Amino acid sequence: MKLLKEVKTYERLQHLMTEVDSVNLALSGDTSEDIAALIEESAPSFAPILIVHLSNQNIVDKESAIATLTELTEALEGIESLELTLAFEPTEAVTNTLYSWVAENVDKNVVLDFRRNPSIMSGALVSYKGKYGDFSGAKDLKEAFVGLRKELKI
C-alpha cells in the first residue's frame, strides 16, 4: 500500500485513521462542496495523500469516495505494529532507517510503535506478534556484572 510509506509509526497511523474518519463524516453530510475541498478541511495533515489515493482510483463522487475510504480504514486497521522500546526519542532519520530495515527484513505492512525507557541505556526491546526480544545495553551490563560476580566469587 503506497500510503504506508507515509505512515511509518503507530502514532501517524492513528492520526491518519482519525483524519480518514473525519473525511468520511464530512462526505456523509449534506454539502455540495467539492470532494478535494472537504478532504483539505477534514484531513489537513494527510489531504494531499488522500486526494491522490482517490484520484488514482478515479473516484469523483461522494458515495464512491466514502466506500473507498471505508475500505482504506479497514486496510489500515489490519496493519500490524512492531513495538520498539528505545532509551531515546528517535529522530526522523532514525525512524526512517529502522522502518526501512523492518520493511525489508520483517514485513512491509508494519508500523513502528516507539516507546521510551532510558533505563535500557542502549539497544532496544522489541515486541512483535507475541514475541519479545531484549537487545538492550542494560541486559548486556547485567550479564557482565553476573559474570564478574562469579569470577570474584561475591
Side-chain angles (χ1 to χ4, degrees), residues 40-59:
E40 287 172 353
E41 286 174 19
S42 305
S45 299
F46 292 97
I49 295 165
L50 293 173
I51 291 169
V52 168
H53 181 72
L54 292 175
S55 106
N56 285 344
Q57 297 184 34
N58 298 318
I59 304 297

Side-chain angles (χ1 to χ4, degrees), residues 69-144:
L69 292 175
T70 300
E71 288 173 14
L72 175 61
T73 298
E74 290 168 3
L76 293 172
E77 287 172 345
I79 293 173
E80 298 280 341
S81 66
L82 183 141
E83 186 179 305
L84 273 174
T85 302
L86 305 172
F88 60 94
E89 194 68 40
T91 63
E92 188 173 340
V94 169
T95 298
N96 290 339
T97 299
L98 291 171
Y99 178 80
S100 294
W101 188 90
V102 168
E104 188 174 312
N105 296 287
V106 179
D107 190 341
K108 286 182 179 14
N109 291 318
V110 168
V111 293
L112 303 176
D113 186 4
F114 288 109
R115 309 289 166 99
R116 187 172 178 269
N117 182 350
S119 71
I120 68 169
M121 298 190 313
S122 65
L125 305 176
V126 181
S127 180
Y128 180 61
K129 290 188 176 183
K131 295 181 182 174
Y132 175 82
D134 185 346
F135 307 99
S136 68
K139 177 185 170 200
D140 295 339
L141 189 59
K142 182 178 180 181
E143 290 171 358

